[in-house]
Amino acid sequence: MSQTIAQSKAASVAAKWEKASAEVATERHRGRFNWTDIVFFLVLMAAAVYFLVEWSDSMDIYEKVILVSSTFAIVWVGWLWRPLRSYLILTFALSVFAILLYGGDLSKAESNFFLKYFLSSQSAVLWMCALFFMSTVAYWLGLISERLSWMGSAFAWAGTVMGSIGLLVRWRESHLIAFDMGHIPVSNLYEVFVLFCLITVLFYLYYERRYHTRALGGFVMLVVASAVTFLLWYTFLRDAATIQPLNNALNSWWMKLHVPANFVGYGTFALAAMVGFAYLVKLHGETTSWRPMIPLLLVGGALVAEPLIFSSRGDYGVWVIYFGVSVLIVAGILLARKRIAAHLPSYELLDDIMYRAISIGFAFFTVATVLGAFWAADAWGTYWQWDPKETWAFIVWLNYAAWLHLRLMRGMRGQVMAYWALVGLVVTSFAFLGVNIFLSGLHSYGEL
């Protein structure tokens, strides 16, 4: 009998190794350069040449260099991560379709069926919000029944497509209002919140495919759903979707580099924090006592309580409801932690994702800070003035620099680093929003 059990276990282990080897072989095959990469490169180059010829007078030499460099970067990333190509092609095709439907007349956003309900910038962003909420629910249902887990990924991909269409079409809409008003849509809180959601979800989808697990989707999408909640409030109660002209300081090509790089940092820091949350849920999954989870409850409370700061700008009831729902969700996760922990991947994998996400975010955040210094010198004549936004950006940078130092030099892993990633999100959130609300300065472009 014992021999039969041993043989069964050996066969099971062999089957798992065979499956893992097949997956690795498949990934290697997908990573080989083939004719589709050449076609993708030629299509992107053709589009870049068309834009250079058609709108040459609208771009300076720096913007032309950015356009060409971005083409090569997209080809390289698309080779490393093949699903990105399908996402880019579909986004570009539907964005061009929307622009053609406008035909130079912005009023068609209210009369054309496809523009009014699907492809105008505001409609596309609203679809993004709905799809991300649906993705969050589907990912959590996927922990109950694995047959439903694919829906979370499908809704997440669909949401990124619609959000990206919303930003690209908004760019064109700004030119249709007035040619000199046209600008890249990363200039205010409404636009950068859309960008934050897209970057966070895209990085998560990359790790989901790389590590072959959807168990973290529910955790990561919680922070995205929180951002979407703010976006909807900001849209309908603050009329934030209205396109406004840029002020003189923002009217610079530096913005096209500094802001996206900054939000790669914000998005990956948020992703790492939610993976840290998953790590702690798994760690306490076998614990019946609530005492070890007191720090987690405190940090979680700080995160979900942060939006209450918006009550100082009115709509107190909205944020009380938000806080109450958030507390119930966190409490539900902690109550069901044992069952959830059984579905989560290993500690080593969770730690690896945290490390990789923070490493990428730190690199981009560093570049963004350097670019911001050059932009400040160009706009205000000095590289650094210890403006509140600059000061808190430096605090965020020091926080993650210390995290990486202890991870790489001291080999620290586990519970402490997971808590640190969560606290880092609290600090980052204040640097992103709190400074704009409570502290005035040269960077007060996103006031509520």
Side-chain angles (χ1 to χ4, degrees):
M1 181 70 177
S2 60
Q3 185 178 2
T4 304
I5 294 174
Q7 289 176 347
S8 176
K9 288 183 177 179
S12 176
V13 171
K16 289 181 179 179
W17 274 107
E18 184 178 351
K19 182 180 178 181
S21 301
E23 289 174 348
V24 171
T26 302
E27 288 299 318
R28 286 178 178 173
H29 176 72
R30 287 172 180 167
R32 292 176 182 172
F33 195 81
N34 57 40
W35 65 271
T36 61
D37 298 290
I38 298 174
V39 172
F40 185 60
F41 171 74
L42 293 176
V43 170
L44 282 182
M45 285 303 299
V49 170
Y50 173 77
F51 291 133
L52 287 172
V53 172
E54 189 70 19
W55 286 291
S56 179
D57 296 336
S58 303
M59 294 185 285
D60 57 31
I61 184 62
Y62 302 106
E63 292 169 327
K64 293 175 182 178
V65 170
I66 292 172
L67 175 62
V68 175
S69 302
S70 299
T71 302
F72 286 98
I74 290 171
V75 171
W76 178 64
V77 176
W79 172 57
L80 295 176
W81 184 31
R82 296 297 171 82
L84 186 68
R85 300 192 305 183
S86 302
Y87 152 75
L88 289 172
I89 291 170
L90 183 59
T91 297
F92 182 77
L94 291 175
S95 299
V96 170
F97 178 60
I99 291 170
L100 291 175
L101 288 177
Y102 271 116
D105 184 3
L106 191 62
S107 64
K108 289 185 178 179
E110 295 298 325
S111 59
N112 185 280
F113 175 82
F114 289 104
L115 291 176
K116 184 175 182 178
Y117 295 105
F118 296 100
L119 297 177
S120 67
S121 64
Q122 192 166 353
S123 296
V125 169
L126 290 177
W127 273 108
M128 179 202 77
C129 295
L131 288 164
F132 282 163
F133 276 128
M134 294 162 67
S135 176
T136 305
V137 174
Y139 272 123
W140 284 107
L141 290 176
L143 293 179
I144 301 173
S145 173
E146 292 186 2
R147 289 180 296 179
L148 300 175
S149 62
W150 67 270
M151 296 175 62
S153 300
F155 287 138
W157 274 114
T160 59
V161 170
M162 295 307 295
S164 301
I165 291 170
L167 287 183
L168 290 174
V169 174
R170 184 178 176 87
W171 197 345
R172 176 56 179 163
E173 289 171 352
S174 67
H175 284 87
L176 292 179
I177 294 173
F179 185 78
D180 57 352
M181 270 186 62
H183 59 271
I184 185 172
V186 291
S187 62
N188 57 43
L189 276 181
Y190 173 85
E191 294 165 351
V192 297
F193 254 92
V194 176
L195 182 65
F196 169 79
C197 293
L198 294 178
I199 289 174
T200 306
V201 174
L202 282 172
F203 269 96
Y204 164 71
L205 290 170
Y206 168 76
Y207 288 120
E208 177 182 277
R209 182 178 177 85
R210 179 185 177 92
Y211 292 102
H212 305 285
T213 177
R214 293 191 176 103
L216 298 174
F219 288 91
V220 177
M221 293 305 294
L222 283 178
V223 74
V224 175
S226 179
V228 164
T229 301
F230 170 85
L231 188 62
L232 292 173
W233 168 80
Y234 198 42
T235 299
F236 291 109
L237 298 181
R238 290 292 183 271
D239 197 25
T242 303
I243 299 174
Q244 301 289 344
L246 292 176
N247 62 37
N248 291 333
L250 289 176
N251 192 15
S252 170
W253 65 273
W254 287 106
M255 184 175 70
K256 300 176 177 66
L257 299 174
H258 170 72
V259 176
N262 224 10
F263 278 87
V264 171
Y266 287 149
T268 50
F269 294 156
L271 189 155
M274 300 314 291
V275 174
F277 182 32
Y279 187 103
L280 295 169
V281 169
K282 182 177 179 67
L283 184 66
H284 298 306
E286 301 298 328
T287 304
T288 56
S289 172
W290 283 83
R291 186 175 297 175
M293 288 187 291
I294 291 175
L296 181 58
L297 290 170
L298 292 175
V299 176
L303 279 171
V304 299
E306 275 195 310
L308 285 174
I309 60 178
F310 304 129
S311 64
S312 63
R313 301 299 189 269
D315 312 311
Y316 183 80
V318 172
W319 294 108
V320 168
I321 294 172
Y322 167 86
F323 177 75
V325 172
S326 300
V327 168
L328 290 175
I329 291 172
V330 173
I333 293 171
L334 295 180
L335 287 171
R337 62 191 183 279
K338 184 175 182 179
R339 183 169 183 175
I340 294 172
H343 294 276
L344 292 174
S346 67
Y347 292 115
E348 292 78 13
L349 190 147
L350 294 170
D351 183 82
D352 191 53
I353 295 177
M354 266 194 298
Y355 165 65
R356 290 176 182 273
I358 289 177
S359 297
I360 292 172
F362 181 75
F364 275 91
F365 196 78
T366 301
V367 171
T369 303
V370 173
L371 291 173
F374 284 117
W375 187 7
D378 187 35
W380 302 314
T382 180
Y383 291 97
W384 197 269
Q385 302 184 66
W386 293 106
D387 176 78
K389 197 77 167 181
E390 294 172 347
T391 303
W392 275 92
F394 185 56
I395 292 171
V396 171
W397 187 89
L398 285 177
N399 174 71
Y400 289 106
W403 193 100
L404 289 171
H405 174 77
L406 292 176
R407 173 67 162 74
L408 294 172
M409 298 294 104
R410 301 295 181 181
M412 286 189 65
R413 289 170 170 79
Q415 182 176 353
V416 173
M417 305 305 275
Y419 273 118
W420 195 336
L422 265 175
V423 172
L425 182 57
V426 177
V427 176
T428 303
S429 298
F430 186 82
F432 177 23
L433 278 179
V435 172
N436 296 51
I437 296 170
F438 295 110
L439 305 173
S440 60
L442 295 170
H443 292 77
S444 299
Y445 305 125
E447 294 181 347
L448 294 179

